[in-house]
Coordinates of all heavy atoms in Angstrom, one line a residue:
M1 N 101.3 84.8 -32.7 CA 101.2 84.0 -31.5 C 101.8 82.6 -31.7 O 101.3 82.0 -32.7 CB 99.8 84.0 -30.9 CG 99.6 83.2 -29.6 SD 98.0 83.5 -29.1 CE 97.8 82.2 -28.0
T2 N 102.7 82.2 -30.9 CA 103.1 80.8 -31.2 C 102.6 79.9 -30.1 O 102.8 80.1 -28.9 CB 104.7 80.8 -31.0 OG1 105.1 81.4 -29.9 CG2 105.3 81.5 -32.3
D3 N 101.9 78.9 -30.5 CA 101.2 78.0 -29.5 C 102.1 76.8 -29.3 O 102.7 76.3 -30.2 CB 99.9 77.5 -30.1 CG 98.8 78.5 -30.1 OD1 98.8 79.4 -29.2 OD2 97.9 78.5 -30.9
T4 N 102.3 76.4 -28.0 CA 102.8 75.2 -27.7 C 101.8 74.2 -28.0 O 100.6 74.5 -28.0 CB 103.3 75.1 -26.2 OG1 102.1 75.3 -25.4 CG2 104.3 76.2 -26.0
P5 N 102.2 72.9 -28.2 CA 101.2 71.9 -28.4 C 100.1 71.9 -27.2 O 98.8 71.6 -27.5 CB 101.9 70.6 -28.4 CG 103.2 71.0 -28.8 CD 103.5 72.4 -28.3
D6 N 100.4 72.2 -26.0 CA 99.4 72.2 -24.9 C 98.5 73.2 -25.1 O 97.2 73.1 -24.8 CB 100.1 72.2 -23.5 CG 100.8 70.9 -23.2 OD1 100.4 69.9 -23.8 OD2 101.7 70.9 -22.3
T7 N 99.0 74.4 -25.5 CA 98.1 75.6 -25.6 C 97.2 75.4 -26.7 O 96.0 75.7 -26.7 CB 99.0 76.9 -25.8 OG1 100.0 77.0 -24.7 CG2 98.1 78.1 -25.8
A8 N 97.7 74.9 -27.9 CA 96.9 74.6 -29.0 C 95.7 73.7 -28.7 O 94.6 73.8 -29.1 CB 97.7 74.3 -30.2
H9 N 96.1 72.7 -28.0 CA 95.1 71.7 -27.7 C 94.0 72.2 -26.8 O 92.8 72.0 -27.0 CB 95.7 70.5 -26.9 CG 94.7 69.4 -26.5 ND1 94.1 68.6 -27.2 CD2 94.3 69.2 -25.1 CE1 93.2 67.8 -26.5 NE2 93.4 68.2 -25.2
S10 N 94.5 73.1 -25.8 CA 93.5 73.6 -24.9 C 92.6 74.6 -25.6 O 91.4 74.7 -25.3 CB 94.3 74.5 -23.8 OG 94.9 73.6 -23.0
A11 N 93.2 75.3 -26.6 CA 92.3 76.3 -27.4 C 91.2 75.5 -28.1 O 90.1 75.9 -28.3 CB 93.1 77.2 -28.2
A12 N 91.7 74.5 -28.7 CA 90.8 73.7 -29.6 C 89.7 73.0 -28.8 O 88.5 73.0 -29.1 CB 91.6 72.5 -30.3
E13 N 90.1 72.5 -27.6 CA 89.1 72.0 -26.7 C 88.1 73.0 -26.2 O 86.9 72.8 -26.2 CB 89.8 71.3 -25.5 CG 88.8 70.6 -24.6 CD 89.4 69.6 -23.6 OE1 90.5 69.1 -23.8 OE2 88.7 69.5 -22.5
L14 N 88.6 74.2 -25.9 CA 87.8 75.3 -25.4 C 86.8 75.7 -26.5 O 85.5 75.9 -26.2 CB 88.6 76.5 -25.0 CG 89.2 76.4 -23.7 CD1 90.2 77.6 -23.5 CD2 88.2 76.4 -22.5
R15 N 87.2 75.7 -27.7 CA 86.4 76.1 -28.8 C 85.3 75.1 -29.0 O 84.1 75.3 -29.2 CB 87.3 76.2 -30.1 CG 86.4 76.6 -31.3 CD 87.3 76.7 -32.5 NE 87.1 77.6 -33.6 CZ 86.5 78.7 -33.6 NH1 86.2 79.3 -32.5 NH2 86.4 79.4 -34.7
T16 N 85.7 73.8 -28.9 CA 84.7 72.7 -29.0 C 83.7 72.7 -27.9 O 82.5 72.7 -28.2 CB 85.4 71.3 -29.0 OG1 86.4 71.3 -30.1 CG2 84.5 70.2 -29.2
R17 N 84.1 72.9 -26.7 CA 83.1 72.9 -25.6 C 82.2 74.2 -25.7 O 81.0 74.0 -25.4 CB 83.9 72.9 -24.3 CG 84.6 71.6 -24.0 CD 85.4 71.6 -22.8 NE 84.5 71.7 -21.6 CZ 84.8 72.1 -20.4 NH1 86.1 72.3 -20.2 NH2 83.9 72.2 -19.4
M18 N 82.8 75.3 -26.0 CA 82.0 76.5 -26.1 C 81.0 76.4 -27.3 O 79.8 76.8 -27.1 CB 82.8 77.8 -26.4 CG 83.6 78.2 -25.1 SD 84.4 79.7 -25.3 CE 85.7 79.5 -24.1
T19 N 81.4 75.9 -28.4 CA 80.5 75.5 -29.6 C 79.4 74.6 -29.1 O 78.3 74.8 -29.5 CB 81.3 75.0 -30.7 OG1 82.3 76.0 -31.1 CG2 80.4 74.7 -31.9
Q20 N 79.7 73.6 -28.3 CA 78.6 72.7 -27.9 C 77.6 73.4 -27.0 O 76.4 73.2 -27.2 CB 79.2 71.6 -27.1 CG 80.1 70.6 -28.0 CD 80.9 69.6 -27.2 OE1 81.1 69.7 -26.0 NE2 81.3 68.5 -27.9
H21 N 78.0 74.3 -26.2 CA 76.9 75.0 -25.4 C 76.2 75.9 -26.2 O 74.9 76.1 -26.0 CB 77.8 75.9 -24.3 CG 78.3 74.9 -23.2 ND1 77.4 74.5 -22.2 CD2 79.5 74.5 -22.9 CE1 78.1 73.7 -21.4 NE2 79.4 73.8 -21.8
I22 N 76.8 76.6 -27.1 CA 76.0 77.5 -28.0 C 75.1 76.7 -28.9 O 73.9 77.1 -29.1 CB 76.9 78.3 -29.0 CG1 77.7 79.4 -28.1 CG2 76.2 79.1 -30.1 CD1 78.9 80.0 -28.8
D23 N 75.5 75.6 -29.4 CA 74.6 74.7 -30.2 C 73.4 74.2 -29.3 O 72.3 74.0 -29.8 CB 75.5 73.5 -30.7 CG 76.3 73.9 -31.9 OD1 76.2 75.0 -32.4 OD2 77.2 73.1 -32.2
A24 N 73.7 73.9 -28.1 CA 72.7 73.5 -27.1 C 71.6 74.5 -26.9 O 70.3 74.3 -27.0 CB 73.2 73.1 -25.8
A25 N 72.1 75.8 -26.9 CA 71.1 76.9 -26.7 C 70.3 77.0 -28.0 O 69.0 77.3 -28.0 CB 71.9 78.3 -26.5
L26 N 70.9 76.9 -29.1 CA 70.2 77.0 -30.5 C 69.2 75.8 -30.6 O 68.2 76.0 -31.1 CB 71.2 77.1 -31.5 CG 72.0 78.4 -31.6 CD1 73.1 78.3 -32.7 CD2 71.2 79.6 -31.8
A27 N 69.6 74.6 -30.2 CA 68.7 73.5 -30.2 C 67.6 73.7 -29.4 O 66.4 73.3 -29.7 CB 69.5 72.2 -29.8
L28 N 67.8 74.3 -28.2 CA 66.6 74.6 -27.3 C 65.6 75.5 -28.1 O 64.4 75.3 -28.0 CB 67.1 75.3 -26.0 CG 66.1 75.8 -25.0 CD1 65.4 74.5 -24.4 CD2 66.7 76.5 -23.9
L29 N 66.1 76.5 -28.8 CA 65.2 77.4 -29.5 C 64.6 76.6 -30.6 O 63.3 76.8 -30.8 CB 66.0 78.5 -30.2 CG 66.7 79.5 -29.3 CD1 67.4 80.6 -30.1 CD2 65.6 80.3 -28.5
D30 N 65.3 75.8 -31.3 CA 64.7 75.0 -32.4 C 63.6 74.1 -31.9 O 62.6 73.8 -32.6 CB 65.7 74.1 -33.1 CG 66.6 75.0 -34.0 OD1 66.3 76.1 -34.4 OD2 67.8 74.4 -34.3
G31 N 63.6 73.7 -30.6 CA 62.7 72.7 -30.1 C 61.4 73.4 -29.5 O 60.5 72.7 -29.0
I32 N 61.3 74.7 -29.6 CA 60.2 75.4 -29.2 C 59.1 75.4 -30.4 O 59.3 76.0 -31.4 CB 60.4 76.9 -28.8 CG1 61.4 76.8 -27.6 CG2 59.1 77.6 -28.5 CD1 62.0 78.2 -27.2
P33 N 58.1 74.7 -30.2 CA 57.1 74.5 -31.3 C 56.3 75.7 -31.7 O 56.0 75.9 -32.8 CB 56.2 73.3 -30.8 CG 56.4 73.3 -29.3 CD 57.6 73.8 -29.0
D34 N 56.0 76.5 -30.8 CA 55.2 77.7 -31.1 C 56.0 78.8 -31.6 O 57.0 79.2 -31.0 CB 54.5 78.3 -29.7 CG 53.8 79.5 -30.0 OD1 52.9 79.5 -30.9 OD2 53.9 80.5 -29.2
P35 N 55.7 79.3 -32.8 CA 56.6 80.2 -33.5 C 56.6 81.5 -32.8 O 57.8 82.2 -32.7 CB 55.9 80.5 -34.8 CG 55.0 79.3 -35.1 CD 54.6 78.7 -33.7
I36 N 55.6 82.0 -32.0 CA 55.7 83.2 -31.3 C 56.6 83.0 -30.1 O 57.5 83.9 -29.9 CB 54.3 83.6 -30.8 CG1 53.4 84.0 -32.0 CG2 54.4 84.8 -29.9 CD1 53.8 85.1 -32.8
A37 N 56.5 81.9 -29.4 CA 57.4 81.7 -28.3 C 58.8 81.5 -28.7 O 59.7 81.9 -28.0 CB 56.9 80.4 -27.5
R38 N 58.9 80.8 -30.0 CA 60.3 80.6 -30.5 C 61.0 82.0 -30.8 O 62.2 82.2 -30.6 CB 60.2 79.7 -31.7 CG 61.7 79.2 -32.1 CD 61.6 78.1 -33.2 NE 60.7 78.5 -34.4 CZ 59.6 77.9 -34.6 NH1 59.1 76.9 -33.9 NH2 58.9 78.3 -35.8
E39 N 60.2 82.8 -31.4 CA 60.8 84.2 -31.8 C 61.1 84.9 -30.5 O 62.2 85.5 -30.4 CB 59.7 85.0 -32.6 CG 60.2 86.2 -33.2 CD 60.4 87.4 -32.1 OE1 59.6 87.4 -31.1 OE2 61.4 88.2 -32.3
A40 N 60.3 84.9 -29.5 CA 60.6 85.6 -28.3 C 61.8 85.0 -27.6 O 62.6 85.8 -27.1 CB 59.4 85.4 -27.3
A41 N 61.9 83.7 -27.5 CA 63.1 83.1 -27.0 C 64.4 83.4 -27.8 O 65.5 83.8 -27.2 CB 63.0 81.6 -27.0
G42 N 64.3 83.5 -29.2 CA 65.4 83.9 -29.9 C 65.7 85.4 -29.7 O 66.9 85.8 -29.6
R43 N 64.7 86.2 -29.5 CA 65.0 87.7 -29.2 C 65.7 87.8 -27.8 O 66.6 88.5 -27.6 CB 63.7 88.4 -29.2 CG 63.9 89.9 -29.0 CD 62.6 90.7 -29.3 NE 61.4 89.9 -29.6 CZ 60.3 89.9 -28.8 NH1 60.3 90.6 -27.7 NH2 59.3 89.1 -29.1
L44 N 65.3 87.0 -26.8 CA 65.9 86.9 -25.5 C 67.3 86.7 -25.7 O 68.2 87.4 -25.1 CB 65.2 86.0 -24.6 CG 65.9 85.7 -23.2 CD1 65.8 86.9 -22.3 CD2 65.2 84.6 -22.6
L45 N 67.7 85.6 -26.4 CA 69.1 85.1 -26.6 C 69.9 86.2 -27.3 O 70.9 86.6 -26.8 CB 69.1 83.8 -27.4 CG 70.4 83.3 -27.7 CD1 71.3 83.0 -26.5 CD2 70.4 82.2 -28.6
A46 N 69.3 86.8 -28.4 CA 70.1 87.7 -29.2 C 70.2 89.1 -28.6 O 71.2 89.7 -28.6 CB 69.4 87.9 -30.6
D47 N 69.1 89.5 -28.0 CA 69.1 90.9 -27.5 C 69.5 91.0 -26.0 O 69.9 92.1 -25.7 CB 67.7 91.5 -27.6 CG 67.2 91.6 -29.0 OD1 68.1 91.5 -30.0 OD2 66.0 91.9 -29.3
D48 N 69.3 90.0 -25.3 CA 69.7 90.2 -23.8 C 70.9 89.3 -23.4 O 71.8 89.8 -22.8 CB 68.5 89.7 -22.9 CG 67.4 90.7 -23.1 OD1 67.5 91.9 -23.6 OD2 66.2 90.3 -22.8
L49 N 70.7 87.9 -23.6 CA 71.7 87.1 -23.0 C 73.1 87.1 -23.8 O 74.1 87.2 -23.1 CB 71.2 85.6 -23.2 CG 69.9 85.4 -22.4 CD1 69.4 83.9 -22.6 CD2 70.1 85.6 -20.9
L50 N 73.2 87.2 -25.1 CA 74.4 87.3 -25.8 C 75.2 88.6 -25.5 O 76.4 88.6 -25.2 CB 74.3 87.1 -27.2 CG 74.0 85.6 -27.7 CD1 73.7 85.4 -29.1 CD2 74.9 84.6 -27.2
P51 N 74.5 89.8 -25.5 CA 75.1 91.0 -25.2 C 75.7 91.0 -23.7 O 76.8 91.5 -23.5 CB 74.1 92.1 -25.5 CG 73.2 91.5 -26.4 CD 73.1 90.1 -26.1
A52 N 74.9 90.4 -22.9 CA 75.4 90.4 -21.5 C 76.6 89.5 -21.3 O 77.5 89.8 -20.6 CB 74.3 89.9 -20.5
A53 N 76.6 88.4 -22.1 CA 77.8 87.5 -22.0 C 79.0 88.2 -22.7 O 80.1 88.1 -22.2 CB 77.4 86.2 -22.9
A54 N 78.8 88.9 -23.7 CA 79.9 89.6 -24.4 C 80.5 90.6 -23.3 O 81.7 90.9 -23.3 CB 79.4 90.4 -25.6
Q55 N 79.6 91.3 -22.5 CA 80.2 92.3 -21.6 C 80.9 91.5 -20.5 O 82.0 92.0 -20.1 CB 78.9 93.0 -20.9 CG 78.4 94.2 -21.8 CD 79.4 95.1 -22.3 OE1 80.1 95.1 -23.3 NE2 79.6 96.2 -21.4
R56 N 80.5 90.4 -20.1 CA 81.2 89.6 -19.1 C 82.5 89.1 -19.6 O 83.6 89.2 -19.0 CB 80.4 88.4 -18.6 CG 79.2 88.8 -17.8 CD 78.3 87.6 -17.4 NE 79.1 86.6 -16.6 CZ 78.5 85.4 -16.3 NH1 77.4 85.1 -16.8 NH2 79.3 84.6 -15.7
V57 N 82.6 88.7 -20.9 CA 83.8 88.3 -21.6 C 84.8 89.4 -21.6 O 86.0 89.3 -21.3 CB 83.5 87.6 -23.0 CG1 84.9 87.5 -23.7 CG2 82.8 86.4 -22.8
K58 N 84.3 90.6 -21.9 CA 85.2 91.7 -22.1 C 85.7 92.1 -20.7 O 87.0 92.4 -20.6 CB 84.4 93.0 -22.6 CG 85.1 94.3 -22.8 CD 84.2 95.3 -23.3 CE 84.9 96.6 -23.6 NZ 84.2 97.7 -24.1
A59 N 85.0 92.0 -19.7 CA 85.6 92.3 -18.3 C 86.5 91.2 -17.9 O 87.6 91.5 -17.3 CB 84.3 92.4 -17.3
M60 N 86.3 89.9 -18.3 CA 87.2 88.9 -17.9 C 88.6 89.1 -18.6 O 89.6 88.9 -18.1 CB 86.6 87.5 -18.3 CG 85.5 87.1 -17.4 SD 85.0 85.4 -18.1 CE 83.3 85.5 -17.3
R61 N 88.4 89.5 -19.9 CA 89.7 89.7 -20.7 C 90.5 90.9 -20.1 O 91.7 90.8 -20.0 CB 89.4 90.1 -22.2 CG 88.8 88.9 -22.9 CD 88.4 89.2 -24.3 NE 89.6 89.4 -25.1 CZ 89.7 90.1 -26.3 NH1 88.5 90.5 -26.8 NH2 90.8 90.3 -26.9
G62 N 89.8 91.9 -19.7 CA 90.5 93.1 -19.0 C 91.1 92.6 -17.7 O 92.3 93.0 -17.4
A63 N 90.4 91.8 -17.0 CA 91.0 91.3 -15.7 C 92.2 90.5 -15.9 O 93.2 90.5 -15.1 CB 89.9 90.6 -14.9
A64 N 92.2 89.7 -17.0 CA 93.3 88.8 -17.3 C 94.6 89.7 -17.6 O 95.6 89.4 -17.2 CB 93.0 87.9 -18.4
V65 N 94.3 90.7 -18.4 CA 95.5 91.5 -18.8 C 96.0 92.3 -17.5 O 97.2 92.4 -17.4 CB 95.0 92.6 -19.9 CG1 96.1 93.7 -20.0 CG2 94.9 91.9 -21.2
R66 N 95.1 92.7 -16.7 CA 95.5 93.4 -15.5 C 96.3 92.4 -14.6 O 97.3 92.8 -13.9 CB 94.4 94.1 -14.7 CG 93.9 95.3 -15.5 CD 92.9 96.1 -14.7 NE 91.6 95.3 -14.5 CZ 90.6 95.2 -15.4 NH1 90.8 95.8 -16.5 NH2 89.6 94.5 -15.1
D67 N 95.8 91.2 -14.5 CA 96.6 90.1 -13.7 C 98.0 90.0 -14.2 O 98.9 89.9 -13.4 CB 95.9 88.8 -13.8 CG 94.6 88.7 -12.9 OD1 94.4 89.7 -12.1 OD2 93.8 87.8 -13.2
L68 N 98.1 89.9 -15.6 CA 99.4 89.8 -16.1 C 100.3 91.0 -15.8 O 101.5 90.9 -15.5 CB 99.4 89.6 -17.7 CG 98.7 88.2 -18.0 CD1 98.4 88.2 -19.6 CD2 99.6 87.0 -17.7
R69 N 99.8 92.2 -15.9 CA 100.4 93.4 -15.6 C 100.9 93.3 -14.1 O 102.0 93.7 -13.8 CB 99.6 94.7 -15.8 CG 99.2 94.9 -17.2 CD 100.4 95.5 -18.1 NE 100.6 96.9 -17.7 CZ 101.8 97.4 -17.6 NH1 102.8 96.8 -17.9 NH2 101.9 98.7 -17.3
A70 N 100.0 92.8 -13.2 CA 100.3 92.7 -11.8 C 101.5 91.7 -11.6 O 102.3 91.9 -10.6 CB 99.1 92.4 -11.0
Q71 N 101.7 90.8 -12.5 CA 102.8 89.9 -12.4 C 104.1 90.5 -12.9 O 105.1 89.8 -12.9 CB 102.4 88.7 -13.2 CG 101.3 87.8 -12.7 CD 101.0 86.6 -13.5 OE1 101.7 86.2 -14.4 NE2 99.7 86.2 -13.3
G72 N 103.9 91.8 -13.4 CA 105.2 92.4 -13.9 C 105.4 92.5 -15.4 O 106.4 92.9 -15.9
L73 N 104.5 91.9 -16.1 CA 104.6 91.8 -17.6 C 104.3 93.2 -18.2 O 103.4 93.9 -17.7 CB 103.7 90.8 -18.3 CG 104.2 89.3 -18.3 CD1 104.2 88.7 -16.9 CD2 103.5 88.5 -19.2
T74 N 105.0 93.5 -19.2 CA 104.8 94.8 -19.9 C 103.7 94.6 -20.9 O 103.4 93.5 -21.3 CB 106.1 95.2 -20.6 OG1 106.4 94.2 -21.6 CG2 107.3 95.4 -19.7
L75 N 103.2 95.7 -21.4 CA 102.2 95.6 -22.5 C 102.7 95.0 -23.7 O 102.0 94.1 -24.3 CB 101.6 97.0 -22.8 CG 100.9 97.8 -21.8 CD1 100.6 99.2 -22.3 CD2 99.6 97.1 -21.3
K76 N 104.0 95.2 -24.0 CA 104.6 94.7 -25.1 C 104.8 93.1 -24.9 O 104.5 92.3 -25.9 CB 106.0 95.2 -25.4 CG 106.7 94.8 -26.6 CD 108.0 95.6 -26.9 CE 108.7 95.1 -28.1 NZ 109.9 95.8 -28.4
A77 N 105.1 92.7 -23.8 CA 105.3 91.2 -23.5 C 103.9 90.5 -23.6 O 103.8 89.4 -24.1 CB 105.9 90.9 -22.1
I78 N 102.9 91.2 -23.1 CA 101.5 90.5 -23.1 C 101.1 90.5 -24.5 O 100.5 89.4 -25.0 CB 100.6 91.4 -22.2 CG1 100.9 91.3 -20.7 CG2 99.1 90.8 -22.4 CD1 100.3 92.3 -19.8
A79 N 101.4 91.6 -25.3 CA 100.9 91.6 -26.7 C 101.6 90.4 -27.4 O 101.0 89.7 -28.3 CB 101.3 92.9 -27.3
A80 N 102.9 90.3 -27.2 CA 103.7 89.2 -27.9 C 103.2 87.8 -27.5 O 103.0 87.0 -28.5 CB 105.1 89.3 -27.5
Q81 N 102.6 87.6 -26.3 CA 102.2 86.3 -25.9 C 100.8 86.1 -26.4 O 100.4 84.9 -26.6 CB 102.3 86.2 -24.4 CG 103.7 86.1 -24.0 CD 103.8 85.9 -22.4 OE1 103.0 85.2 -21.8 NE2 104.9 86.4 -21.8
T82 N 100.0 87.1 -26.5 CA 98.6 86.9 -26.9 C 98.4 87.1 -28.5 O 97.3 86.7 -28.9 CB 97.7 87.9 -26.2 OG1 98.0 89.2 -26.6 CG2 97.8 87.7 -24.7
G83 N 99.3 87.7 -29.1 CA 99.1 87.9 -30.5 C 98.3 89.2 -30.8 O 97.8 89.3 -31.9
L84 N 98.1 89.9 -29.8 CA 97.2 91.2 -30.0 C 98.3 92.3 -30.0 O 99.4 92.2 -29.7 CB 96.3 91.4 -28.8 CG 95.3 90.4 -28.6 CD1 94.5 90.5 -27.3 CD2 94.3 90.4 -29.7
S85 N 97.8 93.5 -30.4 CA 98.7 94.6 -30.6 C 98.8 95.3 -29.2 O 97.9 95.1 -28.3 CB 98.1 95.7 -31.5 OG 97.0 96.2 -30.9
V86 N 100.0 96.1 -29.0 CA 100.2 96.8 -27.7 C 98.9 97.7 -27.4 O 98.4 97.7 -26.3 CB 101.4 97.5 -27.7 CG1 101.6 98.4 -26.5 CG2 102.7 96.5 -27.8
P87 N 98.5 98.5 -28.4 CA 97.4 99.4 -28.1 C 96.1 98.6 -27.7 O 95.4 99.1 -26.8 CB 97.2 100.1 -29.4 CG 98.4 100.1 -30.2 CD 99.0 98.8 -29.8
R88 N 95.9 97.4 -28.3 CA 94.7 96.7 -27.9 C 94.8 96.1 -26.5 O 93.9 96.1 -25.7 CB 94.5 95.4 -28.9 CG 93.2 94.7 -28.5 CD 91.9 95.5 -28.7 NE 90.8 94.8 -28.3 CZ 89.9 95.3 -27.4 NH1 90.0 96.4 -26.8 NH2 88.9 94.5 -27.1
I89 N 96.0 95.7 -26.1 CA 96.3 95.3 -24.8 C 96.0 96.4 -23.8 O 95.4 96.2 -22.7 CB 97.7 94.7 -24.6 CG1 97.9 93.4 -25.4 CG2 98.1 94.5 -23.1 CD1 97.0 92.3 -25.0
D90 N 96.5 97.6 -24.1 CA 96.2 98.8 -23.3 C 94.8 98.9 -23.1 O 94.3 99.3 -22.0 CB 97.0 99.9 -23.9 CG 97.0 101.2 -23.0 OD1 97.3 101.0 -21.8 OD2 96.7 102.3 -23.5
Q91 N 94.1 98.9 -24.2 CA 92.6 99.1 -24.2 C 92.0 98.1 -23.2 O 91.1 98.4 -22.4 CB 92.0 99.0 -25.5 CG 92.3 100.1 -26.5 CD 91.7 99.8 -27.8 OE1 91.5 98.7 -28.3 NE2 91.5 101.0 -28.6
L92 N 92.4 96.8 -23.4 CA 91.7 95.8 -22.5 C 92.0 96.1 -21.0 O 91.2 95.9 -20.2 CB 92.3 94.4 -22.9 CG 91.8 93.9 -24.2 CD1 92.6 92.6 -24.6 CD2 90.3 93.5 -24.1
A93 N 93.2 96.5 -20.7 CA 93.7 96.9 -19.4 C 92.7 97.9 -18.9 O 92.5 98.0 -17.6 CB 95.1 97.1 -19.4
K94 N 92.4 98.8 -19.7 CA 91.5 99.9 -19.3 C 90.0 99.7 -19.4 O 89.2 100.5 -19.3 CB 91.9 101.2 -20.1 CG 93.3 101.6 -19.8 CD 93.6 102.8 -20.7 CE 95.1 103.2 -20.5 NZ 95.6 104.2 -21.5
D95 N 89.6 98.4 -19.7 CA 88.3 98.0 -19.9 C 87.6 98.8 -21.0 O 86.4 99.2 -21.0 CB 87.4 98.1 -18.6 CG 87.7 96.9 -17.7 OD1 88.0 95.8 -18.1 OD2 87.6 97.2 -16.5
K96 N 88.3 99.0 -22.1 CA 87.8 99.7 -23.3 C 87.6 98.7 -24.4 O 88.1 97.6 -24.4 CB 88.7 100.8 -23.8 CG 88.7 101.9 -22.7 CD 89.6 103.0 -23.3 CE 89.7 104.2 -22.3 NZ 90.3 105.3 -22.8

């Protein structure tokens, strides 16, 4: 994948912002003084919230690929632009 300076900057900024949000959630856990409550909150994050977020991200990625397909891009073109393989692009388009 070849990034233009704007794309690379955007990716770096997105990474920074997402990391800050994750760090805030972890700091929230660290700030719970009661060990039982802290463990329960950690379990909530690890077992419920993160898997649910991963499912939402997967759906968003599939929708993005389908949007690109609707614009007339081929799987090969999308793969070239994203740096993913054609089979992976096909899987994303099929929500797999």
Side-chain angles (χ1 to χ4, degrees):
M1 181 174 161
T2 56
D3 287 329
T4 63
D6 288 340
T7 306
H9 175 74
S10 295
E13 185 171 332
L14 283 172
R15 182 181 209 38
T16 298
R17 291 179 64 197
M18 288 184 205
T19 298
Q20 289 170 342
H21 285 282
I22 292 168
D23 288 345
L26 295 173
L28 180 64
L29 292 177
D30 287 338
I32 299 172
D34 177 51
I36 298 296
R38 189 169 56 246
E39 188 286 325
R43 187 169 7 115
L44 171 67
L45 179 63
D47 295 349
D48 295 340
L49 299 176
L50 291 176
Q55 288 298 95
R56 289 177 60 190
V57 168
K58 184 177 177 181
M60 286 179 203
R61 291 178 70 196
V65 168
R66 287 188 297 280
D67 287 347
L68 292 168
R69 293 285 286 145
Q71 294 174 19
L73 275 72
T74 64
L75 294 176
K76 186 176 180 179
I78 298 168
Q81 291 183 34
T82 61
L84 298 171
S85 69
V86 172
R88 183 63 186 126
I89 294 298
D90 188 47
Q91 289 174 335
L92 287 170
K94 295 175 181 173
D95 282 330
K96 292 185 179 183

